[in-house]
């Protein structure tokens, strides 16, 4: 639990006598989902006055990363040059750049992930970010979840325990994994409650007026009608992800061919 | 209602024979709230295959804009150089840069807003973006809403009709205004349903797994407990916004001193 301190707008502690901040790192990569990143970043930012600092970490400091929505976000730090992280929050993505990332468990992103996860107190993801954590081996033996359409792909990892149905997030010891895209907000609130307590989480909820009221009940397979399910399932690339990961795991000898 | 066409990843139409896209512009400015922008951008992006193109428009094309969370987002276009807009979606903000913006109705942002709103079919906002639309005179005679804490400031504008209580969004003819920060998602869904129909909005809801389930009931004044309300109200800068806008309206002769 972190006490309230005066902070700068970046969420880092202003007073040099104050304890070092609790640091959260959100990696960026090509075709990352922007809302996966910013929904959680917004909630974590509100913890700035409780000495929680949140950083965006991209391949190279200062070089914009292009999201799947073709938005360009400038990372605060690079993969090989960032403050030590207490919590890693891996967002998901979609598209060719993201497919290349989950088709392997090697390269600069996984080097970053290994170093960050080796020292982090919490290892978290949202949406298809769970595929990256699973590739790195960080979900072996843990209950977890991911975007509803990518559960079959996550279930390919032989030691990963994928939760039944479509919970907004799953907490298993120090692994906290969120479901698809918009669940990043619920997941970040669950993390906030762990880090700074329920009352601060409630205050943040009021600050960002999080009293959601979707116009329809269509947000997961338990809600959506058959026509909607069919249309989205046909176009969302579930099969491609499944095939790419299956081949990757066979190639690495992690599952039998 | 826009029919489905093949699009590029930026959401613009690929086929030169296809009709010009329906264009949505989201202005960026110093201290803009990142989730206000990205929550709606995510939903609008999903309409790319229905020939809806969404652009981020900042003071200068390509020059990153710093959000209130100290995130840096690169705009697609500049205030004085962007495609004609069919829909303007003005996000809110918070902090010194944003205060300077709502303390007047003049300058490059309002020049952009005038030109954009003069030709747009829909004029929309979320959160404290309503203060900017009101400063520009675009909410005169319209029912609307804003972040719960800034309703008193919005009520200062003599011809703006601020809705009772805390609806997620208010639709009055071609003005669609959202409540605080996270309501950007609900607001964008309401806009999507108008632009492309309810079934596409339902599909988008399933794509982004928008079945929100906040850990607490604390998202607006009808939900939050008295301790939470007091703590947030004391720190959220409501009084500053009220005073700055009151002085601005007096100075301009829009209300009596």
């Amino acid at each position: 639990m972190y006490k309230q301190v005066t902070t700068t707008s970046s969420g880092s502690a202003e007073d040099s006598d104050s304890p070092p901040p609790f640091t959260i790192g959100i990696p960026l990569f090509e075709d990352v989902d922007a809302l996966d990143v910013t929904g959680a970043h917004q909630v974590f930012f509100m913890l700035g006055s409780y000495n929680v600092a949140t950083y965006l970490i991209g391949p190279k400091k200062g070089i914009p990363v292009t999201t799947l929505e073709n938005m360009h976000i400038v990372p605060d730090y690079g993969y090989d040059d960032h403050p030590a992280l207490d919590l890693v929050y891996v967002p998901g993505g979609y598209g060719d750049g993201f497919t290349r990332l989950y088709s392997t468990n090697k390269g600069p992103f996984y080097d970053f992930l290994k170093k960050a996860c080796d020292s982090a107190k919490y290892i978290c993801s949202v949406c298809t970010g769970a595929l990256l954590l699973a590739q790195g081996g960080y979900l072996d033996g843990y209950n977890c979840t991911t975007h509803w359409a990518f559960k079959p792909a996550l279930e390919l990892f032989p030691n990963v325990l994928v939760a039944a149905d479509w919970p907004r997030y799953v907490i298993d010891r120090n692994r906290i994994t969120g479901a698809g895209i918009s669940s990043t907000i619920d997941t970040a609130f669950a993390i906030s409650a762990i880090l700074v307590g329920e009352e601060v989480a409630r205050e943040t909820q009021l600050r960002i007026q999080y009293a959601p009221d979707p116009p329809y009940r269509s947000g997961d397979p338990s809600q959506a009608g058959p026509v909607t399910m069919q249309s989205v399932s046909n176009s969302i690339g579930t099969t491609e992800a499944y095939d790419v990961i299956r081949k990757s795991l066979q190639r690495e000898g992690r599952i039998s061919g």
Side-chain angles (χ1 to χ4, degrees), chain A:
Chain A
M1 200 82 105
Y2 287 79
K3 75 175 182 64
Q4 191 158 11
V5 295
T6 305
T7 63
T8 67
S9 65
S10 70
S12 60
E14 205 165 50
D15 177 358
S16 60
D17 291 335
S18 67
F22 183 94
T23 55
I24 297 177
I26 306 178
L28 302 179
F29 38 77
E30 189 187 341
D31 287 337
V32 66
D33 185 288
L35 183 53
D36 285 19
V37 174
T38 58
H41 189 278
Q42 177 82 73
V43 174
F44 297 148
F45 165 75
M46 296 289 180
L47 309 184
S49 56
Y50 292 84
N51 206 20
V52 174
T54 306
Y55 309 120
L56 299 181
I57 302 173
K60 293 287 174 196
K61 178 177 179 172
I63 306 294
V65 174
T66 301
T67 74
L68 80 89
E69 306 86 0
N70 204 31
M71 190 182 291
H72 308 283
I73 302 176
V74 186
D76 303 313
Y77 292 98
Y79 285 168
D80 56 2
D81 177 24
H82 60 83
L85 301 177
D86 295 307
L87 188 150
V88 183
Y89 188 88
V90 181
Y94 187 75
D96 291 346
F98 186 67
T99 302
R100 280 192 294 276
L101 209 55
Y102 70 66
S103 69
T104 178
N105 60 2
K106 293 181 175 59
F109 173 80
Y110 289 95
D111 293 342
F112 153 81
L113 197 60
K114 179 174 180 1
K115 195 175 150 204
C117 290
D118 278 353
S119 62
K121 298 177 181 75
Y122 297 92
I123 297 175
C124 309
S125 66
V126 66
C127 197
T128 47
L131 297 177
L132 307 182
L133 285 184
Q135 271 289 16
Y138 303 104
L139 295 179
D140 283 355
Y142 287 87
N143 285 294
C144 59
T145 194
T146 186
H147 188 290
W148 64 266
F150 294 86
K151 285 183 64 181
L154 189 58
E155 286 164 349
L156 282 167
F157 292 91
N159 302 313
V160 173
L161 309 169
V162 182
D165 301 327
W166 306 281
R168 296 301 281 170
Y169 51 84
V170 171
I171 303 176
D172 184 358
R173 288 157 286 169
N174 73 339
R175 263 55 164 188
I176 304 160
T177 51
I181 307 182
S182 67
S183 69
T184 193
I185 300 176
D186 296 329
T187 306
F189 273 114
I191 291 171
S192 297
I194 291 170
L195 297 183
V196 295
E198 291 194 4
E199 176 52 23
V200 175
R202 280 195 192 89
E203 290 180 9
T204 299
Q205 195 178 341
L206 184 56
R207 283 180 201 282
I208 73 165
Q209 201 161 348
Y210 189 48
D213 187 15
Y216 314 106
R217 274 185 54 79
S218 185
D220 70 27
S222 74
Q223 298 184 346
V227 172
T228 307
M229 272 303 293
Q230 191 65 47
S231 174
V232 174
S233 297
N234 286 348
S235 63
I236 208 169
T238 307
T239 310
E240 185 200 6
Y242 186 91
D243 289 345
V244 167
I245 287 177
R246 188 170 49 82
K247 279 175 195 159
S248 153
L249 293 176
Q250 285 171 345
R251 196 174 57 234
E252 305 286 337
R254 293 164 76 180
I255 59 174
S256 58

